[in-house]
Amino acid sequence: MIKRLILLSLFTATVSCASAQGTWIPMKPEAKPYTRWWWLGSAVDKANLTYNLEELSKAGIGGVEITPIYGVKGNDANEIPYLSTKWMQMLQHVQSEGARLGIETNMATGTGWPFGGPLVSEADAATKAVFGKDAKGNVTVEVGKTKQKVKRAAPGGEGFVIDHFNKDAVARYLSRFDTAFVNQGVAAPKNFFNDSYEVYGADWTPNLLTEFNKRRGYDLTPYLSSLTTADSLRTDKDKRILSDYRETLADLLLENFTTQWTDWAHKHGSLTRNQAHGSPANLLDLYAEVDIPECEGFGLSDFGIKGLRTDPGNTKKNFSDISMLKYASSGAHLSGHNLTSSETFTWLTEHFRTSLSQCKPDLDLFFISGINHVYFHGACYSPKEAEWPGWRFYASVDMSPNNNWWSSMPAFSKYIERCQSFLQWGKPDNDILVYLPFYDMIYEQPGTVALFDIHSMEKRAPKFINTVQSIIKIGYDVDYISDKYVLKDEVTSRYAAIIVPDVQFMPLATVKKLNDLAQKGYKVIFVKNYPTSVPGYNKKAEQKEFNKVMKSLKTVAVLAEDYQTALSGTKARPEPMRSEQGLSCIRRSNDTGYHYFVTNLQGKDVDENITLGTLCAGAIFYNPMNGEVTKASVHANGQVTVQLKSGESIILRTFTNKEKYEQFLADNPKLHPHKYYNVLEQRAAPLSTSWTLTFKDAAPKAIDKTYKLQQTTDWTTLGDEELKTTMATGVYSTKVNLASHYFNQRDPYAEGAAAYILDLGDVRETAHVIINGRDAGTLFSVPYRLDITEYLRTGENTFEIEVCNLPANRIAQLDRDGVEWRKFKEINVVDLNYKKDHYNNWTTMPSGLCSPVKLIPAVLK
């Protein structure tokens, strides 16, 4: 291997990434990842609150959202009732310590979910319709109660779920918080949170008939049979009446719950963060009504990324594709709110088996969907003295010191912070509005209430999902628009066109507005068919006017058979990198041009000149993995050379004005050209044939033995039974003597300069590389490669690679030993199918460096 190395020059000049750090844009506190913070039984104390917060702060987490839930078995004496004097004192302690540590405090507006609790009377509780028949056989309705209780409630939070459609019931529920905060003199948190709508069986409210008549213009009573008719027997009339009923529930949920809750929070100087999915309403309008719309990632995506570890049978399918994630970001973009958050990593794999390498691609999916304010799901408050694995939540990726790759969290958090600093900067720059066919959805759905939850959207809106995915595939990016926002010129004026998928129903007001826009030259595009009807029942006069307006609209709108044809005639700017190179991206605008987050979520590497959808007089790369900032290669035709291996990501900033680009370079004279590699893969060679393996932070007990290896390998295969059950950091060490006949002192960034790539191969699961005593970087995702040129020197070089494995092998042994660590009330700890399970039958998971470490020479292009 040494003989091969001397064929390329090895230079001694040290290149520091720090030289370019000043060019990174300012990172606001909210660019850091936040986390949901589960308080089990609210059994917290000040000392351990401080300990938990300090650990989160060290890991780079910038905010916590307190959500109390069920407690720990046998720990009743330490539980604190929700909103009691002592509970509020604990909240105040978190706020004080958070301010010291730079951690923002948020909280859910309740315990568990949905909203409810001990002060919710039966009259204010979630309501259902109880249908019957009178003596003449006519359908009648009475007000009934679902009897649903708060799910996963904490002490002091148990009780009925509120009637979200009832304005007075919601107000009375919120008054409990008024009393708690005012009486205790505690400041309200930065924001209040509402989890996904999981109110089951609630399809009525006491004044629904009155509200229906007021809003829909007719009495529902004579038509109640339309609500009880079997799905297969429903006529067009039944479906129209049912559509009116569903629209009324949507109106009430928006006005009486979402808007009232947001107004209430604002009076306290707080913001609202809301998960609208699962609601029986137009998700866009609900999301747009709050300060921070929040989507949810639920499951693991299979992108086919090269080298990414799979775990068949132990992963959950991702229900949150880009079409689902875009509801929240579209709501933010429509209403002008900058932040879109995500409940991140709810379920990816079985407990103890999730790696950061699996998290990173789905994190990138969030970013290209418009999410820019990640909340982990999540971290459990766990006392320092609690035995491992500490206190646990039943469904989450454990973001706590009890997870063995916690030492890599600062690097993972920094990656998120760097990405989100750009994703929060500037303005969204999607060109196309896609009309959400809400009325088609509520006309077609079976049952009575249509809940738009992430698990059923494939059935609820298959045509719409196909529309979104098709448009993105051909290069365009989109936001969704509802009927409410079609009417707002300040919204539509920011986009090049509105595209209306093949829909049947559209309100008269929407048709009128589209006609007005199209008459003024705005691009309104219908695909395949025009809408044919106003929604709802008994609207003959509206339908007549609808027909008249549609006749006018058809003279100025575009009717196309496919999306490619429809959009080619607009001013929308597709990004060819999507359709030509298979890259995924999102674009935002800023005062000097545009910036892109680009990620390679596919199974092939990309090394090409890419065409951008916007003007480019100069470009800068920002590497979110290591903070390096470099000058991109921009060609005369505006193309930018991009090298991204499968699974990699980059931030690209472009300048539309050459003078501004040159001024930027003048302000940052130490900025280097980007390194484009010609990696000589055929000349890859093992770094060494003599390694030692030692362990630190091993558990359940220390491992003092030193293992001699000819090559790096999975430590569970070394014949030592103890290594099959340990959770540890394995330190692979070697010394390599590098000869250097061809050293030179020329510019290490110039074309033809030598470079050396360290390829760690199959890493289980994170790796911290130290070369000659210098920190060369932490790798937590594929490809596990580093340019180590600047760290090498003539003569002897010392390599230390610290690898953290998963906790899976240790927890499996606890189960085999019969240790009772599942000690939590209510649901306890369950598997992906929400069933009780034990891990005693798990096979040993590979750990450490599971393939030879290679050094690969390269030449800079």
Side-chain angles (χ1 to χ4, degrees), residues 388 699-700 724-727 806-815:
W388 191 87
K724 294 182 178 180
T725 59
T726 192
M727 181 181 79
L806 292 175
N809 293 339
R810 184 182 179 190
I811 200 70
Q813 187 60 40
L814 282 188
D815 274 357

Side-chain angles (χ1 to χ4, degrees), residues 245-292:
Y245 157 79
R246 289 168 171 166
E247 184 179 7
T248 302
L249 288 181
D251 290 346
L252 296 177
L253 181 64
L254 174 64
E255 297 169 18
N256 294 342
F257 174 70
T258 307
T259 300
Q260 182 178 193
W261 172 59
T262 299
D263 290 344
W264 169 84
H266 289 174
K267 290 176 183 177
H268 286 277
S270 299
L271 305 176
T272 51
R273 207 176 94 247
N274 183 50
Q275 293 183 4
H277 51 271
S279 302
N282 190 316
L283 299 186
L284 275 182
D285 291 345
L286 295 179
Y287 276 129
E289 190 68 14
V290 298
D291 300 299
I292 307 175

Side-chain angles (χ1 to χ4, degrees), residues 478-496:
V478 304
D479 283 325
Y480 309 159
I481 191 166
S482 66
D483 295 275
K484 176 180 178 179
Y485 284 90
V486 167
L487 305 181
K488 297 179 180 289
D489 290 338
E490 66 271 22
V491 173
T492 57
S493 63
R494 303 199 301 263
Y495 296 83

Side-chain angles (χ1 to χ4, degrees), residues 40 48 96 112 340 393 416 545 548 561 618-619 633 712 753 817 840 860:
L40 273 65
N48 275 302
S96 175
T340 303
F393 183 64
I416 294 172
E545 189 173 359
K548 180 180 178 181
E561 281 299 314
S633 177
T712 52
D817 291 342
N840 55 299
L860 298 189

Side-chain angles (χ1 to χ4, degrees), residues 152 298 316 347 394-395 827 830-836:
R152 322 298 184 210
F298 198 95
K316 182 179 283 290
W347 272 115
Y394 79 92
I827 194 172
V830 294
D831 67 10
L832 291 173
N833 299 310
Y834 294 84
K835 295 180 180 179
K836 294 180 180 179

